[in-house]
Amino acid sequence: MALLEDKVVLVNGGSQGVGAGVVRAALREGATVAFTGRRAGAGERLAADTGAGFVRADLTDPAQVRGAVDQVVAAHGRVDSLVNAAGLTSRGSLLDTSPELFDAHIAINLRAPFFAMQAVVQHLVARSAPGTIVNIGSNCAHGGPPFLAPYSAAKAGLAGLTRNAAHAHRWDRIRINDLNIGWTETEGEDAIQREFHDAGDDWRERAAERLPMGKLGQVGEIADFVVFLLSDRSGVVTGSVIDWDQNVPGASD
């Protein structure tokens, strides 16, 4: 049987990148899938291509975060699983980050997952139903490079939130885990490399030469792991913050 047969899954930030990969993987595994995104064009194209439902939402607004959950419940009767995949990776160091940039990182990378989880967990508790949540974190939660100071702070907060919520709702049979991904090949990363690092068309190949496995993290591989964590096949695991990368935090040569 497919891993997510008869499950309703909401993917926040699902119109591109890792989120879009999760949308496709969850559909392949039998789920009914809805996803959020800010850009109507990208969302509508993915919806048309996959059959998933698109909810246009600005996740910097907690009311729209909660409203997206309400729309999915209204359309499908319930939500069983949530994936928080939206992310902002705009560069900023401790010295040059403005209050506005800091707030933007917190809004997308921490506040949006908080209120999405709040809405979904409230819904599951009201139904007395089990559920699963996966937060897409980052290995930057361990510290990160100097140019990702607000991002690292927000992702560290997300790891702590994951553990807190998992502990609080373990007796409700709601399993909540965090996947700390590393450098990943996505459309968004391509744009970031070009905007902030003067990267050329060969940046992926040049990056791969410096990585142990000879490639960047791949969306499809991450999506498969997320689907596993959403499914019953992952058993009782909850409150885990899993490092999904080819560099080992804390280790050194």
Side-chain angles (χ1 to χ4, degrees):
M1 190 173 75
L3 289 177
L4 297 177
E5 194 73 36
D6 196 37
K7 300 295 184 183
V8 178
V9 178
L10 170 60
V11 182
N12 278 331
S15 58
Q16 67 173 15
V18 170
V22 173
V23 168
R24 294 180 184 277
L27 286 166
R28 183 195 69 219
E29 294 297 334
T32 297
V33 180
F35 67 95
T36 65
R38 285 186 301 167
R39 296 179 296 126
E44 290 165 358
R45 284 192 295 272
L46 183 63
D49 185 43
T50 63
F54 171 53
V55 179
R56 189 176 185 184
D58 180 354
L59 299 180
T60 64
D61 179 2
Q64 293 189 47
V65 173
R66 294 186 60 87
V69 176
D70 292 340
Q71 288 186 55
V72 176
V73 172
H76 303 291
R78 68 186 197 278
V79 173
D80 300 301
S81 298
L82 169 69
V83 179
N84 285 308
L88 177 69
T89 58
S90 298
R91 278 21 182 176
S93 72
L94 180 66
L95 298 182
D96 62 22
T97 295
S98 66
E100 292 77 17
L101 179 61
F102 182 86
D103 288 347
H105 273 275
I106 294 299
I108 288 293
N109 295 322
L110 183 55
R111 190 176 68 194
F114 185 102
F115 287 104
M117 290 167 63
Q118 182 186 77
V120 169
V121 170
Q122 286 174 340
H123 165 72
L124 291 168
V125 169
R127 286 172 49 212
S128 297
T132 51
I133 297 173
V134 174
N135 294 318
I136 303 300
S138 169
N139 62 3
C140 288
H142 296 289
F147 56 80
L148 282 174
Y151 177 76
S152 298
K155 290 299 189 180
L158 184 61
L161 172 61
T162 297
R163 294 187 180 99
N164 180 275
H167 174 74
H169 294 285
R170 66 199 192 281
W171 290 104
D172 296 312
R173 295 179 297 149
I174 299 170
R175 299 190 297 110
I176 305 172
N177 295 289
D178 179 302
L179 194 63
N180 276 345
I181 64 174
W183 199 6
T184 303
E185 184 176 346
T186 65
E187 309 98 304
E189 183 61 22
D190 180 64
I192 285 287
Q193 288 296 317
R194 293 174 189 276
E195 179 180 357
F196 291 99
H197 302 286
D198 298 320
D201 292 341
D202 65 343
W203 74 266
R204 297 173 184 81
E205 291 76 15
R206 293 170 64 86
E209 292 171 356
R210 308 195 305 270
L211 293 169
M213 305 304 162
K215 64 177 181 179
L216 293 158
Q218 298 297 300
V219 166
E221 295 167 354
I222 295 168
D224 286 347
F225 201 91
V226 171
V227 165
F228 172 75
L229 287 174
L230 292 176
S231 77
D232 292 341
R233 286 287 299 276
S234 56
V236 299
V237 62
T238 192
S240 291
V241 178
I242 301 166
D243 292 319
W244 197 100
D245 193 22
Q246 54 195 302
N247 294 305
V248 182
S252 61
D253 294 322

